[in-house]
Amino acid sequence: MGSPLTGYLVVAALLFAIGLAGALVRRNAIMVLIGIELMLNAANLNFIAFWRYSPHPEALTGMMFAIFSIAVAAAEAAVGLGLVIAVYRHAQTTDLDKMNRMKG
Amino acid sequence: MFYLIAALTLAGALAAMTLKHLVHAALAVTVAFAGLALFFLNLDAQFAGFAQILVYIGAVAILVVFAILLTRGSELPREGVFSRTWFVGLAIAAGIFAVLGWAVIASAKALPSETAVPTANVHDIGVALVGRYVLPLEIVALLLTAATIGAVIVALHEKERAR
């Protein structure tokens, strides 16, 4: 455990696992989206941590990737929640287990 | 300091995924986002930290609360909040964490040790954004425009068609 990077990577892995568990386990579509957001944030934490302890931080690569990732995640959240609202208006539910109309 | 922020972030994330009430879960996930912003500030990435605060705490959390209220998510479902196959999901997540944790621990020796604090002021980031990263910047601008229009069109109230 010599490197301070290890702690950040373990925290990011744990956060990713929590987000994945939430996305797989929760019934509500909004909670699934929140789980996906947590997974994206765990990846961002990795980018920033690797940027901080990289040999060439002045290249700003990891930082830029994290900033673009935040922007894309914001767009994803807007479209995803818009879709949830549209589906709710159609099916009167946000419960994913009840959205089985296309089940064969 | 690190352990304090880590405990805050992970507690927020765990609470968000386990709390029954959706509004409580949204507040808990806001705590997790704030913890991540503190992580970014702790890692000397001030710009990313403040972007995280603005985008996640300022926009995404509000959007989530709006979606919960618009879909009447504040009412508790009778069947419980977890899926019937919750055990499978939990097992997959635990497996993924085991693999990631093993990879991190196994490569711990190869990771770089303490380095000098990098300087990333807003001026450098701005120059990089309009210099080397100008094409991704344009693509993100286009994507955000398309996402805004798309979200509005998708969530637009459809007029009842005359039958």
Side-chain angles (χ1 to χ4, degrees):
Chain A
M1 292 294 229
S3 170
L5 193 50
T6 313
Y8 289 103
L9 295 184
V10 170
V11 168
L14 204 54
L15 202 62
F16 186 89
I18 292 172
L20 182 66
L24 290 175
V25 159
R26 294 297 292 239
R27 296 172 77 107
N28 193 295
I30 296 170
M31 291 313 295
V32 173
L33 276 174
I34 290 180
I36 292 170
E37 291 291 330
L38 280 179
M39 288 157 75
L40 279 165
N41 270 297
N44 279 350
L45 180 58
N46 267 1
F47 280 129
I48 296 282
F50 273 115
W51 165 77
R52 170 66 178 77
Y53 294 106
S54 70
H56 298 290
E58 69 275 4
L60 289 174
T61 316
M63 176 96 123
M64 283 301 162
F65 209 116
I67 290 167
F68 284 121
S69 169
I70 289 173
V72 173
E76 176 258 353
V79 174
L81 291 170
L83 280 172
V84 170
I85 291 171
V87 168
Y88 174 78
R89 201 170 280 145
H90 198 73
Q92 296 298 316
T93 181
T94 52
D95 191 334
L96 291 170
D97 284 358
K98 286 182 190 154
M99 293 178 196
N100 52 6
R101 187 182 280 183
M102 286 178 79
K103 195 173 180 180
Chain B
M1 192 66 192
F2 169 80
Y3 293 105
L4 209 66
I5 305 174
L8 182 78
T9 310
L10 293 174
L14 212 58
M17 289 297 123
T18 48
L19 282 177
K20 280 196 173 73
H21 280 278
L22 288 185
V23 181
H24 297 176
L27 291 177
V29 86
T30 310
V31 171
F33 289 152
L36 275 157
L38 287 176
F39 262 137
F40 291 175
L41 295 178
N42 203 22
L43 282 163
D44 304 299
Q46 280 88 3
F47 187 78
F50 288 123
Q52 171 87 4
I53 291 174
L54 279 177
V55 172
Y56 275 99
I57 302 172
V60 172
I62 305 290
L63 212 58
V64 166
V65 170
F66 265 114
I68 289 170
L69 296 180
L70 279 174
T71 57
R72 285 194 218 130
S74 46
E75 296 165 7
L76 276 180
R78 269 172 281 121
E79 305 90 343
V81 291
F82 297 116
S83 161
R84 278 193 299 274
T85 53
W86 61 274
F87 187 78
V88 182
L90 221 56
I92 291 172
I96 296 271
F97 175 67
V99 171
L100 288 176
W102 170 77
V104 168
I105 299 297
S107 61
K109 282 198 186 105
L111 292 176
S113 55
E114 194 67 62
T115 52
V117 175
T119 54
N121 51 25
V122 180
H123 179 259
D124 292 341
I125 293 169
V127 167
L129 270 178
V130 294
R132 194 175 162 201
Y133 298 99
V134 69
L135 191 62
L137 183 74
E138 297 290 336
I139 293 171
V140 162
L142 193 66
L143 175 81
L144 283 175
T145 313
T148 314
I149 298 169
V152 168
I153 287 176
V154 163
L156 203 65
H157 194 75
E158 275 178 59
K159 278 186 191 145
E160 205 61 45
R161 289 188 191 84
R163 283 175 189 140

